[in-house]
């Protein structure tokens, strides 16, 4: 069965960095686009970034552009989000999600990992 | 592209017909999906391409619309439908609406 497991969240000071990972299993990872989505406490969902199956196409939300970098390692079935220059407003649960094959809707989600940016 | 959902929250009785609206700031054809999220859980895809029911989703859920105005309808509200519902557009990058919380009276 499809599984997505995020890791790497935690407490970090403003201006600091963190790298999130998402381990995928149960499907051919290299066939699928992947996305990162976040949800601040008590707030709605915010799309952060997506990466094509080959990694050749990448987009970011304006709120993270220039600070966050998404990447993937298809040999390791893993997705990553490098977060630099973190701000208090980046505090959120971060989800990785699979975009459906040729539909691009988010058909499987991980359980999320909490990132807290605070001094 | 901005998505505006209405209402922000609603309370309805079991068996009621519930409709949630999502309006896009510009035309997005039918590139919209709907997700259900229960507290402490990841969202779940209900409907994609405006009106296509995701596999395994009960048929009481339906979606409609094209262009800028879209609706998610629950034909007969069940206790397990208490959740927050989010719309998402794919026409230009990706954007979510702010969510609609559905409570059972």
């Amino acid at each position: 069965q499809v599984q997505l497991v995020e890791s790497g969240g935690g407490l970090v000071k403003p201006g600091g960095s963190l790298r999130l990972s998402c381990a995928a299993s149960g499907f051919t990872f290299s066939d699928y686009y992947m996305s990162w989505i976040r949800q601040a406490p008590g707030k709605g969902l915010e799309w952060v970034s997506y990466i094509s199956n080959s990694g050749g196409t990448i987009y970011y939300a304006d709120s993270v552009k220039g600070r966050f970098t998404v990447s993937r390692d298809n040999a390791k079935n893993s997705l990553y989000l490098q977060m630099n220059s973190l701000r208090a407003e980046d505090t959120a649960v971060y989800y990785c999600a699979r975009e459906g094959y040729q539909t691009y809707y988010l058909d499987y989600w991980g359980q999320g990992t909490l990132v807290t940016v605070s001094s | 592209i901005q998505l505006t959902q209405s209402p922000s929250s609603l309370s309805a009785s079991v068996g009621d017909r519930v409709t949630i609206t999502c309006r896009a700031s510009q035309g997005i054809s039918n590139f919209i999906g709907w997700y259900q999220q229960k507290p402490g859980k990841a969202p779940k895809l209900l409907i994609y391409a405006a009106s296509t029911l995701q596999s395994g989703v009960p048929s009481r859920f339906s979606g409609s619309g094209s262009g800028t105005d879209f609706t998610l309808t629950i034909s007969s509200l069940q206790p397990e439908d208490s959740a927050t519902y989010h719309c998402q557009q794919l026409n230009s990058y990706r954007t979510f609406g702010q969510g609609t919380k559905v409570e059972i009276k």
Side-chain angles (χ1 to χ4, degrees):
Chain A
Q1 72 281 21
V2 173
Q3 276 201 309
L4 298 169
V5 179
E6 301 95 337
S7 60
L11 176 64
V12 61
K13 290 181 167 54
S17 298
L18 213 53
R19 188 195 197 207
L20 305 183
S21 299
C22 172
S25 60
F27 65 102
T28 304
F29 183 69
S30 58
D31 283 347
Y32 290 84
Y33 281 45
M34 298 292 295
S35 271
W36 287 100
I37 303 95
R38 68 183 181 182
Q39 187 169 36
K43 302 296 185 183
L45 301 171
E46 181 186 14
W47 169 75
V48 172
S49 178
Y50 79 72
I51 182 169
S52 64
N53 58 320
S54 66
T57 300
I58 289 172
Y59 288 111
Y60 299 98
D62 287 344
S63 57
V64 306
K65 203 174 295 183
R67 301 187 298 122
F68 289 12
T69 302
V70 64
S71 62
R72 64 191 295 160
D73 185 335
N74 286 343
K76 294 184 177 180
N77 292 337
S78 292
L79 175 71
Y80 306 102
L81 187 67
Q82 177 67 43
M83 304 186 295
N84 298 332
S85 303
L86 283 161
R87 307 166 179 166
E89 54 265 35
D90 296 318
T91 294
V93 173
Y94 284 74
Y95 296 99
C96 69
R98 188 183 85 168
E99 299 202 351
Y101 186 70
Q102 296 185 340
T103 69
Y104 307 105
Y105 295 90
L106 302 164
D107 61 356
Y108 284 94
W109 296 62
Q111 84 288 351
T113 188
L114 177 63
V115 172
T116 303
V117 184
S118 174
S119 55
Chain B
I1 296 176
Q2 295 185 351
L3 298 179
T4 303
Q5 286 184 236
S6 60
S8 298
S9 65
L10 66 90
S11 182
S13 299
V14 172
D16 282 354
R17 183 180 183 89
V18 168
T19 298
I20 298 167
T21 297
C22 182
R23 175 163 289 173
S25 58
Q26 61 190 73
I28 58 171
S29 184
N30 70 333
F31 293 113
I32 194 158
W34 290 94
Y35 300 83
Q36 177 193 65
Q37 186 181 28
K38 297 185 178 181
K41 299 293 188 182
K44 170 188 169 185
L45 178 63
L46 297 177
I47 296 208
Y48 64 93
S51 61
T52 303
L53 200 65
Q54 174 71 349
S55 176
V57 173
S59 59
R60 63 180 180 274
F61 291 93
S62 64
S64 65
S66 183
T68 59
D69 294 318
F70 303 88
T71 58
L72 172 70
T73 299
I74 308 173
S75 60
S76 178
L77 191 66
Q78 299 302 302
E80 60 267 31
D81 300 335
S82 177
T84 299
Y85 293 84
H86 308 270
C87 58
Q88 183 209 19
Q89 67 83 22
L90 303 185
N91 187 69
S92 176
Y93 305 118
R94 281 100 170 94
T95 316
F96 287 95
Q98 81 278 16
T100 295
K101 187 173 184 179
V102 174
E103 295 179 326
I104 308 294
K105 280 184 186 173

